[in-house]
Amino acid sequence: MVTVSDHGFETEGLAKRFGKVTALDGVSLAVPRGQVLGLLGPNGAGKTTVIRVLATLLRPDSGRASVAGFDVARRPGQVRRRIALSGQHTSVDEELTGLANLVMIGRLLDLPRAQALRRAAELLARFGLEDAAKRPVAGYSGGMRRRLDLAASMVGHPEVVFLDEPSVGLDPGKRDELWQMIRGLSADGVTVLLTTQYLEEADALADAITVIDQGRVIASGTPADLKREVGGHTIAVRLNDPADTDVAAGILAKVAGRTPERSTRHELVVPVAGDEDFFEITARLREHRIGVSELSLRLPSLDEVFLTLTGAPTSAANDTDKPTKAA
Amino acid sequence: MTAIEQPRTRPLAWLRHSLVLARRSLAKTTRNPGPIINGVVTPALFMVLFLYLFGGSVAGSTADYLRYLFPGILVMGAGLAGMVSTGTNINLDLKNGVTDRFRSLPISRLAPLLGSVLADLVRYLLAVAILFAIGALFGFRVHGGLAAALAAAGLAIGFGFCLSWVTVFVGVLVKSADSVLAISFISFLPLQLGTSLAAPVETLPGWLRTWAEINPVTHVMNACRALLNGTPVGGTVTTTLIWCAALFVVFCPLAIHAYSRQQ
Ligand SMILES: Nc1ncnc2c1ncn2[C@@H]1O[C@H](COP(=O)(O)OP(=O)(O)O)[C@@H](O)[C@H]1O
Ligand SMILES: [Mg+2]
């Protein structure tokens, strides 16, 4: 029997408690096939728990979830044939080579040995790991491990892929490389659920974003919707010569229509409507021959997003003294 | 995108998957042979220690004493190899997310556990074979014939296997692999040394004698000693088998239950 569903996966009213902790409190999500959903939330928001329910690893207390049209509770076998999971911590074997890791997954997916080898070689090439194929993973860098982990997810040609905070611990260059590869997945028609703590990452990769906090959905929409709601970009300028500060602040205030904040390190920060303002500001700074050592246009941080959406900082920022347990 | 290669569901899939995962576990051992070294070096050290400490006084000569001592050392080796490896491996896999990946694959939920236990059997065999070689080096000779030697090895390994389910159970329940090791280490002393290993139980002081007579490991050691030295086995083999069955029947289902319920 083939169940037809337009959704890569969907959940309805998922709830899950661990003892006294409410990890999920009625989470509903739906993602069309072939799209990328960014699940954005601070540490402890319930992102990993959502993924574990969808990947058939955890039974919710109530609510339902389905993947590729199959209910995760009733047809877990069918679901497992169609998904791949790349956990928060890379789960490749340190002692084995990259190649051996991938061949093993292929064998577990019932590929004959020759085919498992072929698939492994294909994926190692695609994820730029050919040269390291025969080396034990223990010697891999963080970025290489992440890519291998991603490759391991792709062995069975999954329809839906769950990526739990894939860029944690990667430096910006490696992160861009990983983003490129994640974009490749969705170009292949794979539905992706990506969790992240960074709006920037969700913005770069996702077709739609859902923001969760304390197990509840607090906002959802396209990246553009969300940015409109939380106030778009911020410009940060650091000056070569602190003596220029007043003039530069004047320029920023004039273009952005708001007084910029001055940080201790001669940095001026002001929210702007879009990149038009950014170009306007750079042009004027140049007219006034003001030297700039750093200049950036960035999205609001997660804390700023939360402040706007809920009027309160993230719960994680609230109780930093309480150790947040990663599961 | 390539067409989805629909995996055919073939019979005995769980066994094939367990074998794939056993290979994984063994491959990890070759790169990181800690457990085997543990299962060989610790018993070998005890052998040398006891041999030269007590050899003369207990049995008159070290050669005679080795005949008494070595079978117990063999049992200790098989027991240790099992006590440390599966319990800690399972715990590590559960904690660092590897088990999550396996459980999101269309394979039996128990395959990783069975794989690790199967690999343990190979590790026991290796530990026992190496110990036999070390014993031979020190002058130990089997007097009961080949069949009896195989039976002794089989008993030692079989008991190690059944006992390992206790550690698997502990490995699933406790928080870290270090605690599994600590628990194994604490139980090592009474379990392996509070036995007939170094001297017959009749010669032990009262309280130790009582414990050693209850301790199943004593019976395994006695059985192996009788088999290897070609002396009458009496009821020792039967008692060993009953203990093996009891440990297995109780702890295998408990461990499997705890493992499959782990979320
Ligand atoms: N197995 C578990 N046992 C107890 N509490 C858990 C478990 N898994 C998650 N939690 C708790 O549930 C909440 C949500 O966790 P999680 O889904 O891991 O959040 P995130 O991935 O967004 O950081 C946290 O408070 C966490 O401590
Ligand atoms: Mg998480």
Side-chain angles (χ1 to χ4, degrees), chain B residues 39-243:
Chain B
V40 170
V41 171
T42 314
L45 282 178
F46 272 103
M47 183 178 87
V48 174
L49 190 73
F50 286 166
L51 198 57
Y52 295 111
L53 271 182
F54 306 139
S57 60
V58 175
S61 79
T62 49
D64 284 340
Y65 188 55
L66 187 62
R67 277 174 53 144
Y68 179 85
L69 180 65
F70 179 75
I73 293 294
L74 201 64
V75 173
M76 182 194 273
L80 266 182
M83 268 167 78
V84 287
S85 46
T86 289
T88 43
N89 289 345
I90 290 289
N91 187 281
L92 280 175
D93 283 355
L94 279 169
K95 296 297 173 294
N96 64 21
V98 177
T99 310
D100 271 3
R101 161 159 282 153
F102 290 147
R103 284 179 175 173
S104 68
L105 293 172
I107 63 173
S108 158
R109 213 174 152 78
L110 290 180
L113 179 63
L114 294 178
S116 178
V117 170
L118 283 173
D120 265 355
L121 283 176
V122 178
R123 284 189 277 261
Y124 299 146
L125 271 175
L126 259 174
V128 164
I130 298 174
L131 281 175
F132 261 117
I134 295 177
L137 219 62
F138 278 81
F140 179 80
R141 297 290 175 269
V142 177
H143 289 277
L146 182 65
L150 289 179
L155 272 189
I157 292 172
F159 183 77
F161 170 77
C162 293
L163 187 66
S164 78
W165 286 102
V166 182
T167 353
V168 174
F169 184 52
V170 172
V172 174
L173 293 185
V174 303
K175 288 260 181 301
S176 76
D178 289 338
S179 337
V180 184
L181 273 180
I183 292 171
S184 301
F185 183 74
I186 290 168
S187 55
F188 167 78
L189 291 173
L191 211 56
Q192 300 286 349
L193 298 182
T195 58
S196 62
L197 173 69
V201 287
E202 298 81 40
T203 65
L204 299 176
W207 58 271
L208 188 56
R209 177 176 176 173
T210 315
W211 162 245
E213 277 170 351
I214 303 169
N215 189 349
V217 182
T218 299
H219 301 286
V220 191
M221 288 177 175
N222 289 345
C224 287
R225 191 173 298 123
L227 284 166
L228 289 174
N229 291 332
T231 55
V233 294
T236 53
V237 172
T238 320
T239 317
T240 301
L241 291 177
I242 291 174
W243 265 110

Side-chain angles (χ1 to χ4, degrees), chain B residues 26-47:
Chain B
L26 288 174
K28 288 173 74 123
T29 304
T30 20
R31 307 228 182 229
N32 182 9
I36 297 244
I37 290 173
N38 236 326
V40 170
V41 171
T42 314
L45 282 178
F46 272 103
M47 183 178 87

